[in-house]
Amino acid sequence: MVAFGKKLKERSIEEWQEYYINYKLMKKKVKQYGRQIEVGSLDRRHVLKDFSRMLDHQIEKISLFMLEQQGLLSSRLQKLRECHDALQDEPDISQISNLREAYRSVGQDLLKLLVFIDTNAIGIRKILKKFDKRFGYRFTNYYVKTRADHPYSQLQQVFKHVGLGAVVGAISRNLHELQNNQGSFLSIYDQPVVPLQDPVVDSIKNAVDRLTRSTNFLNFMAQHALIMQDEDLLIHEDQADQEEGRYHFMSLLLNLANTFLYMVNTYIIVPTADDYSMSLGAAATVCGVVIGAMAVAQLFSSVYFSAWSNKSYFKPLIFSSIVLFVGNLVYALAYDFNSLALLLIGRLFCGFGSARAVNRRYISDCVPLKIRMQASAGFVSASALGMACGPALAGLLQTNFKIYNLTFNQDTLPGWVMAVAWLMYLVWLAISFVEPAREPEEVHTSQESNSADQDGNMEKGLTKQLLLAQDETEHDDEDDCDGSEESAEDSRKPANSFVAAYKLLTPSVKVQLLIYFMLKYAMEILLSESSVVTTYYFGWSMSSVSIFLFCLGLTVLPVNLVVGSYISNMFEDRQILLASEIMVCVGILLSFHVVVPYTVPQYVISGFIMFVSAEVLEGVNLSLLSRVMSSRLSRGTYNGGLLSTEAGTIARVIADATITVAGFLGQSMLLNVTLLPSFIICVGSIVATCFTFNSLY
């Protein structure tokens, strides 16, 4: 990776050099402020005022030049419009061809202006981040709040490219008319679904897409998936073409199907795990070990699948499908063999087949940037749908019969059904998946865990666009000093072990991983013990448990829709984060059985409060995490996505083990004993959040 200053120089248009952001000057000014504050010759208020004034001048220079260029383009389009009107009466093939080339020439100049805007937008963001990182507070927050919504804001000219849409529309419409000047009276407005086949218009569209490529909900959902790209990676046209060449829709669909089936496989046994354990002579609370065995294996499978995806996507998916087929087969056969060991081995095999790291990696590496946000949102949606469908499917498998001494009942049918499902998926995978071409190893840079921090995310709004985490630990040594290019390259290398990855975590990132651990622990306790608790207190049937879990799963997408589209625009992420933690804590408190008889309304209401709050918390927490994680953790095997996955998986393992251990105290004690650790961890995360974020803000 080269420094942004070098990238800025490379991308600069020679004749426009003086109108670019003076990144080098502002970077030196930040260093100067730092030295002056250290010796006590400047105070914070003076620094904020002086830097704000300097940045205002830079943005004013950029925006006024943009307006000047837009005016020149508009004047040229007006003259071409007059020529176009003249040709309506006396069409001439040669003149039409010349006019078309003239419009394309304007389009090429518009492309130059779009690149100019994109480069300056990145420069503004990076200098704001550098200032925040240097002085330990959110100047970005202050600057955006005071400029974004002001009626005379020049910042909007840069980040919302005001007025360029009309220029793009004029070029597209006229080229469309000239290309189809064969008696047709239809325009692009009459045929919006018919694309204009013109390379200039396609290039303009791609450039605009890079500036405005996501909506609030899709962005929120994608960050929920924690699939980000390295924010220092600037996508050029040739790189975009390479991505297009590697992309295969059916292969993406197969990855999303894998995600869906795996989540179904995870939760389909939850309503019947206690009954299956008792039928094999174990206590009902052994269901914690049965459910958790899959998570234990996933701790290891996440690592080797993450490493394997460096070399292939097809082979890991094939291996995953075979292992999951075998695991579900063994799980189903455990009943007829009357073997608890086989039951656990089957679930371990299912965990060893977890290919979620491959699914994330495929989206990050092979899906074109312009649709990566939608693909990431699809990943989250597939997971949520699988989570809801698993218990619902279990509720439908209410039958009991035998075929050749093989038992098919509510306990074994989840295993049989999933074995058939994975076998069918394996056939589909073998027929339809296309292994994407690999880039040479020396130049290939993995974007493992993520796809969220995008340099031109306009529709997210100015505030969301610029509010970057000030404590991000990406190594900007190449920007801060004039050291060798080799040392700069070393500072960008991905972590090569869990220890190296852990050292890259800042205190705030550690707190956010603790929050992720807490919410996964609380959710696993609620889901895994639901069958035992509801049977003991309320005498619920397996169907009733399935309906309850299905309803919980159905809340995932609507909750994320509301948070991503509305709540995140009304409040800051840190405010939503803290409020969600408190609500999770409230849900846990309401779930305790103290003195009064335990009732269905108390359990259901407290469960929904806990689960919905945890879903909100997960989305916001991963959204923040995707922005504050070191860029060195966006690549390689030991990436940010793997760290968060491991934190969540460890939480699930401990939660399931807690249920089994608490079972030795009796089912009457199970609920309170398992909720107590959840409450303690939740309170600890709230305290850590308040302390950490107060020190940052």
Side-chain angles (χ1 to χ4, degrees), residues 77-88 95 99 103:
L77 287 171
Q78 182 61 36
K79 293 177 181 178
L80 292 176
R81 180 72 256 175
E82 294 172 1
C83 296
H84 193 175
D85 289 341
L87 284 174
Q88 296 295 325
Q95 290 186 28
L99 188 59
Y103 273 111

Side-chain angles (χ1 to χ4, degrees), residues 3-301:
F4 176 73
K6 294 179 181 178
K7 291 178 182 177
L8 179 60
K9 188 175 181 180
E10 291 171 0
R11 298 188 84 193
S12 296
I13 299 168
E14 189 69 32
E15 60 270 26
W16 294 355
Q17 195 72 40
E18 60 182 296
Y19 301 106
Y20 282 90
I21 181 174
N22 197 331
Y23 184 78
K24 186 175 181 181
L25 172 66
M26 300 197 73
K27 188 176 67 175
K28 287 182 178 179
K29 197 68 176 176
V30 170
K31 292 181 184 178
Q32 181 182 333
Y33 289 145
R35 289 192 294 267
Q36 290 175 329
I37 288 177
E38 287 175 4
V39 300
S41 60
L42 272 183
D43 61 11
R44 169 178 168 171
R45 187 180 299 274
H46 179 82
V47 169
L48 290 175
K49 182 178 179 181
D50 192 52
F51 190 74
S52 297
R53 181 181 55 80
M54 181 183 298
L55 190 54
D56 285 340
H57 289 171
Q58 292 291 319
I59 293 174
E60 182 179 86
K61 173 184 69 175
I62 296 166
S63 61
L64 291 178
F65 179 73
M66 286 170 52
L67 290 173
E68 178 186 349
Q69 292 301 310
Q70 287 180 50
L72 293 174
L73 292 174
S74 299
S75 297
R76 291 169 61 186
L77 287 171
Q78 182 61 36
K79 293 177 181 178
L80 292 176
R81 180 72 256 175
E82 294 172 1
C83 296
H84 193 175
D85 289 341
L87 284 174
Q88 296 295 325
D89 300 327
E90 299 179 11
D92 183 282
I93 298 299
S94 62
Q95 290 186 28
I96 289 176
S97 178
N98 292 336
L99 188 59
R100 196 159 51 219
E101 290 304 315
Y103 273 111
R104 288 193 180 116
S105 176
V106 176
Q108 293 289 354
D109 289 340
L110 175 60
L111 272 174
K112 289 168 57 179
L113 185 59
L114 289 170
V115 172
F116 171 84
I117 297 169
D118 189 31
T119 304
N120 281 290
I122 296 169
I124 293 169
R125 290 182 53 218
K126 291 189 75 67
I127 199 64
L128 283 169
K129 183 183 352 180
K130 188 171 291 295
F131 188 92
D132 286 350
K133 182 179 177 182
R134 182 79 180 212
F135 299 108
Y137 49 80
R138 282 279 185 97
F139 170 75
T140 301
N141 198 9
Y142 157 78
Y143 190 82
V144 173
K145 281 185 176 180
T146 54
R147 270 78 173 168
D149 298 322
H150 196 279
Y152 307 130
S153 173
Q154 294 171 323
L155 194 63
Q156 294 194 41
Q157 290 286 341
V158 179
F159 282 94
K160 291 194 174 179
H161 43 89
V162 179
L164 284 179
V167 180
V168 175
I171 295 172
S172 302
R173 185 178 63 82
N174 283 283
L175 279 175
H176 184 275
E177 289 182 2
L178 292 168
Q179 187 181 69
N180 297 279
N181 198 330
Q182 299 175 350
S184 174
F185 296 97
L186 297 177
S187 72
I188 58 173
Y189 307 113
D190 300 311
Q191 296 175 297
V193 296
V194 179
L196 173 60
Q197 301 297 324
D198 190 285
V200 173
V201 174
D202 290 341
S203 297
I204 292 173
K205 183 179 181 300
N206 290 335
V208 173
D209 284 345
R210 285 196 297 272
L211 292 175
T212 57
R213 60 174 167 253
S214 70
T215 62
N216 288 350
F217 177 52
L218 286 180
N219 185 62
F220 185 83
M221 293 289 282
Q223 290 173 331
H224 197 157
L226 204 63
I227 302 174
M228 304 181 307
Q229 69 180 45
D230 184 358
E231 71 165 17
D232 287 331
L233 183 64
L234 300 177
I235 302 295
H236 299 284
E237 293 299 326
D238 56 341
Q239 291 172 302
D241 290 342
Q242 289 176 7
E243 285 183 337
E244 290 282 0
R246 303 178 72 202
Y247 171 63
H248 182 245
F249 174 74
M250 188 58 70
S251 300
L252 172 62
L253 196 61
L254 281 160
N255 272 279
L256 296 180
N258 183 281
T259 299
F260 169 76
L261 285 176
Y262 185 78
M263 293 303 289
V264 172
N265 211 148
T266 301
Y267 289 100
I268 193 173
I269 72 152
V270 172
T272 59
D274 59 332
D275 185 69
Y276 204 164
S277 300
M278 289 190 293
S279 68
L280 298 180
T285 51
V286 173
C287 69
V289 174
V290 176
I291 296 170
M294 195 167 178
V296 171
Q298 192 178 343
L299 285 172
F300 303 97
S301 66

